[in-house]
Amino acid sequence: MLSYLTRWMSRGAFQALKGASSHPQLVKTPHIGNQTLAAAPLPFTGGSPGVRQARALDQERLLQIDWDDGSCSFYPFTWLRDNCQCPHCTLQSAQARCLLFSNLDVHTGMDQVQLMDNKVGLEREYWDSSLQIPTADFQEVLHDDKAALAWLEALRRIGIVYLRGAPTEQGQVARLSQRIGYLRLTFYGHTWQVQDKPMANNVAYTSGELSLHTDYPALHHPPGVQFLHCVRQADQGGESEVVDGFHMAEQLRREDPEAFNILSSLRVDFTDSGADYCDFSVQSKNHIIDVDSEGRVTRINYNNATRDSVLDMPVRQVQPFYSSLKAFVELLSRPENMFTYRMEPGDLVTFDNWRLLHGRKSYLSRGQNSRHLEGAYLDWDEVMSRLRILRKAVRGDS
């Protein structure tokens, strides 16, 4: 299987020497490109194009970077000067700009460019039913920085990582969260128990089949990362299903551009109400497919159970919307796109809730001793913060 990598961020570091300046300016410059790699289990070092050449274009007032993959990027002199990382311009202890804007020369030039080093970043790797889930040891992730870094890099790159060897008792998702920072509190609590419950206030708290979905699109800012720990598995049924939503969105864009445009432009109402950690009644409007200003897919928001009966769109758009959503859901449900696995007691899965859609097959409930998963959420801000800190501790990355 070839795994298609979306455009992501790679970094090269350059020393831009300004003739009128008394100190070298170290500048970090982002680069966006496309690559293709084969799937690989943990650990994985990743890969991105290196820098072939850097040169100043005086007339255009741009720094041109030529990359090994044949692409090139351009960075304005003024932006580079504004983002100088030297101690005169940046408070190193806070990584905050201390150069006053009033002192910024917006007409700055560049006399010489010197390549200092070349660093690689993370790139997302798409997958289908032939996915090889990266797997790590729960205890190693808790206690070893290298293992924790490999876990978070794979989580960012592939969107799902499996941890084995966790104790079969509640509290393990909270322990794992401490490796990152803190859990996100929602109306279901800091952690929540996925079990077959009487008078269930969520369809997940039943033994029935759960269709592919992302969690909490009823919030305007859904949780970014989800942990699920298997405390007890059902005797029959309960297999988990996951699909790479970013991959499917790009496939929809190719196969049915009109459907993609509709799902990425029309806002859909979601709702969730009840009582758990406290009583709640939340509502949101989200695109099924979120894209950024350059058209890149950034988040999937879809949960059929909490899709509101309110449909706030012009009547003429209702049928095209339903047809487009049907096309997307059918794409998600194709066997060649879906990966199925069965969690056993002590397994803990971590995945990108903005990217993956997950579901579950129905299972045979046995009352108090039935299937039991404990779940928790984190936000990508906390996860990426810990990833950067671990990179610096393990590799010395700046």
Side-chain angles (χ1 to χ4, degrees):
M1 177 194 73
L2 289 181
S3 305
Y4 299 92
L5 301 182
T6 58
R7 293 173 294 178
W8 190 235
M9 182 171 286
S10 168
R11 295 182 183 270
F14 304 90
Q15 188 176 48
L17 301 178
K18 171 73 169 64
S21 176
S22 61
H23 54 272
Q25 303 169 21
L26 181 62
V27 181
K28 293 181 180 177
T29 58
H31 163 66
I32 293 176
N34 287 310
Q35 289 192 38
T36 303
L37 283 180
L42 269 177
F44 182 78
T45 58
S48 60
V51 178
R52 186 173 71 247
Q53 177 179 270
R55 61 194 179 103
L57 306 178
D58 293 329
Q59 185 173 354
E60 296 85 352
R61 300 179 49 73
L62 295 171
L63 174 67
Q64 178 178 331
I65 306 300
D66 296 323
W67 304 90
D68 286 341
D69 66 353
S71 63
C72 67
S73 303
F74 298 91
Y75 306 97
F77 290 170
T78 306
W79 179 84
L80 292 172
R81 179 65 188 92
D82 184 36
N83 290 279
C84 174
Q85 299 293 296
C86 81
H88 297 273
C89 300
T90 301
L91 177 60
Q92 301 298 317
S93 59
Q95 286 297 292
R97 183 186 291 108
C98 57
L99 172 66
L100 300 180
F101 196 84
S102 58
N103 293 334
L104 174 65
D105 179 5
V106 297
H107 302 292
T108 187
M110 188 178 293
D111 291 341
Q112 182 183 359
V113 179
Q114 182 180 353
L115 178 65
M116 298 297 291
D117 59 16
N118 189 27
K119 300 178 181 179
V120 297
L122 289 176
E123 302 179 8
R124 286 193 172 95
E125 180 179 332
Y126 289 173
W127 47 265
D128 53 24
S129 62
S130 60
L131 169 69
Q132 295 179 338
I133 295 185
T135 303
D137 181 85
F138 178 77
Q139 297 297 337
E140 287 185 3
V141 167
L142 286 185
H143 302 293
D144 181 78
D145 281 355
K146 290 182 179 180
L149 176 60
W151 163 50
L152 294 183
E153 287 187 332
L155 179 62
R156 184 66 177 179
R157 190 179 72 252
I158 297 176
I160 182 170
V161 181
Y162 214 76
L163 306 184
R164 298 189 186 277
T168 54
E169 59 188 24
Q170 289 180 219
Q172 305 314 307
V173 290
R175 287 181 67 197
L176 185 61
S177 74
Q178 293 171 2
R179 196 67 172 101
I180 294 174
Y182 50 87
L183 291 172
R184 171 159 175 187
L185 176 63
T186 71
F187 290 110
Y188 293 94
H190 287 97
T191 65
W192 22 272
Q193 312 308 315
V194 185
Q195 296 173 285
D196 184 18
K197 303 175 184 179
M199 300 299 292
N201 62 345
N202 191 295
V203 294
Y205 299 162
T206 70
S207 60
E209 178 182 358
L210 293 182
S211 60
L212 292 165
H213 65 281
T214 63
D215 273 19
Y216 247 139
L219 299 178
H220 287 93
H221 187 78
V225 173
Q226 184 169 167
F227 293 170
L228 282 174
H229 172 225
C230 182
V231 179
R232 196 166 47 248
Q233 183 56 281
D235 293 334
Q236 182 178 336
E239 292 84 1
S240 301
E241 300 170 328
V242 288
V243 171
D244 187 345
F246 285 7
H247 190 187
M248 295 303 96
E250 293 298 346
Q251 195 167 328
L252 182 70
R253 194 197 314 244
R254 293 193 300 271
E255 294 184 5
D256 193 339
E258 182 180 359
F260 180 91
N261 290 335
I262 288 173
L263 296 184
S264 60
S265 61
L266 293 181
R267 293 190 181 275
V268 179
D269 291 84
F270 293 92
T271 186
D272 194 19
S273 60
D276 200 296
Y277 183 81
C278 63
D279 53 348
F280 56 91
S281 179
V282 293
Q283 296 178 339
S284 76
K285 291 180 182 292
N286 275 312
H287 301 121
I288 299 295
I289 301 173
D290 272 342
V291 298
D292 64 15
S293 60
E294 297 184 12
R296 290 184 295 250
V297 178
T298 58
R299 194 172 77 195
I300 306 296
N301 307 287
Y302 179 66
N303 190 322
N304 194 57
T306 60
R307 187 166 51 81
D308 204 343
S309 56
V310 172
L311 193 57
D312 186 15
M313 63 180 66
V315 171
R316 61 181 174 78
Q317 293 181 320
V318 171
Q319 188 58 44
F321 164 73
Y322 273 100
S323 298
S324 300
L325 183 56
K326 184 74 170 179
F328 187 48
V329 172
E330 288 180 348
L331 188 61
L332 298 173
S333 303
R334 291 180 188 173
E336 64 268 25
N337 294 329
M338 185 187 306
F339 180 80
T340 303
Y341 62 99
R342 180 180 173 84
M343 298 187 73
E344 298 298 339
D347 293 346
L348 198 156
V349 66
T350 61
F351 60 91
D352 184 345
N353 184 56
W354 286 4
R355 174 180 171 183
L356 270 65
L357 294 98
H358 64 286
R360 180 199 68 209
K361 295 183 178 180
S362 63
Y363 64 90
L364 184 63
S365 179
R366 294 189 293 115
Q368 293 293 325
N369 295 317
S370 191
R371 185 178 188 268
H372 179 192
L373 303 185
E374 184 175 35
Y377 298 121
L378 295 90
D379 281 321
W380 269 113
D381 286 331
E382 289 80 69
V383 176
M384 291 304 296
S385 170
R386 182 57 52 191
L387 192 153
R388 296 182 193 104
I389 291 170
L390 286 170
R391 276 177 168 175
K392 186 173 183 179
V394 172
R395 301 179 187 151
D397 288 5
S398 56

